């Protein structure tokens, strides 16, 4: 069945003049990436009915990203359905200096587990496969990602989104705790340098 999936992916590559793993298309500042495409079969009375399932990730590279899944008899229609669903399910993720995450995070979906870590300037996107597609469409420039467990692209994408949903900016944390943003950022700087805060609270 995996061989049939690869054949379907090869046919898809010829149809759209691009590889099925990483396809970029700019549509009104929305970047679309085809993460995975698979040929599936449904057993019916007359035999097997083949169709294609596509997994798409879209984002504006400015802090908004979404994913969608589409299935159809033809590859272009499956991609169109997945893209529409992805645009409807976009979420906003706060970015630090518009280049990296505010803090480390972890996400899990089924057997897929991922971790994402903020990185200094110049690090680049250190992640592979579906995780890289999500982080690049999000607009992250410096991040370190690690996938543990299942390599299923659907589980990896969903686990990555769970990690991103847990991201919080200093403004959001300060509002929740009733403090000033400077207090939250000061504590983070102290923790990063390893120095104990002067005014520690229990």
């Amino acid at each position: 069945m995996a061989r049939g999936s690869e054949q379907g992916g090869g046919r898809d590559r010829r149809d759209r003049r691009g590889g099925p793993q990483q396809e970029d298309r700019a549509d009104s500042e929305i970047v679309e990436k085809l993460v995975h495409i698979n040929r599936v079969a449904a057993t019916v009375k007359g035999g097997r009915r083949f169709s294609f399932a596509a997994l798409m990730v879209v984002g504006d590279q400015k802090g908004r990203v979404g994913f969608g899944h589409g299935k159809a008899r033809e590859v272009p229609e499956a991609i169109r359905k997945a893209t529409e669903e992805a645009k409807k399910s976009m979420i906003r993720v706060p970015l630090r200096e518009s280049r990296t995450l505010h803090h480390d995070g972890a996400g899990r979906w089924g057997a897929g587990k991922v971790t994402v870590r903020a990185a200094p300037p110049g690090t680049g996107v250190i992640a592979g496969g579906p995780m890289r597609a999500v982080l690049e469409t999000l607009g992250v420039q410096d991040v370190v990602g690690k996938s543990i467990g299942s390599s299923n692209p659907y589980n990896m994408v969903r686990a990555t989104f769970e990690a991103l949903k847990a991201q919080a900016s200093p403004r959001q944390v300060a509002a929740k705790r009733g403090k000033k943003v400077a207090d939250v950022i000061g504590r983070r700087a102290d923790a990063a340098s390893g120095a104990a805060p002067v005014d520690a609270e229990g």
Side-chain angles (χ1 to χ4, degrees):
M1 195 64 185
R3 186 174 302 170
S5 174
E6 293 175 2
Q7 293 174 353
R11 189 180 303 114
D12 172 49
R13 186 180 297 112
R14 291 193 298 271
D15 291 342
R16 295 190 321 283
R17 301 188 301 275
Q21 293 297 323
Q22 303 286 330
E23 176 183 298
D24 297 338
R25 287 183 295 176
D27 180 16
S28 65
E29 298 184 355
I30 296 293
V31 177
E32 304 170 6
K33 284 184 180 286
L34 177 59
V35 177
H36 184 71
I37 191 161
N38 187 32
R39 192 176 75 170
V40 296
T43 303
V44 294
K45 187 175 181 180
R48 285 187 174 183
R49 180 179 299 166
F50 292 97
S51 59
F52 294 91
L55 177 63
M56 293 289 295
V57 174
V58 303
D60 61 358
Q61 295 186 325
K62 297 178 182 178
R64 295 178 66 229
V65 66
F67 76 96
H69 171 256
K71 186 185 295 184
R73 298 292 298 274
E74 299 294 334
V75 172
E77 182 66 13
I79 292 176
R80 185 189 64 80
K81 288 182 178 179
T83 303
E84 289 183 357
E85 181 181 330
K87 290 180 179 179
K88 292 178 182 178
S89 65
M90 293 181 72
I91 62 172
R92 180 169 293 280
V93 180
L95 297 181
R96 182 180 180 184
E97 301 173 0
S98 299
R99 63 166 186 83
T100 188
L101 303 176
H102 281 283
H103 55 82
D104 300 348
R108 178 172 183 173
W109 188 278
K113 293 178 286 186
V114 302
T115 58
V116 289
R117 301 185 62 183
T123 303
V125 179
I126 302 179
M131 282 188 68
R132 187 179 190 89
V134 175
L135 295 172
E136 285 183 347
T137 52
L138 175 62
V140 180
Q141 300 174 13
D142 303 299
V143 67
V144 178
K146 178 71 175 177
S147 173
I148 305 170
S150 173
S151 60
N152 183 301
Y154 293 90
N155 285 350
M156 289 181 65
V157 168
R158 287 187 170 96
T160 305
F161 269 78
E162 290 299 312
L164 295 177
K165 288 178 182 178
Q167 289 289 314
S169 67
R171 187 184 301 274
Q172 294 171 336
V173 175
K176 185 180 297 184
R177 296 180 180 178
K179 296 180 178 293
K180 295 180 180 180
V181 178
D183 296 336
V184 177
I185 296 178
R187 288 176 177 274
R188 183 172 64 182
D190 292 336
S193 63
V198 178
D199 191 8
E201 296 180 4

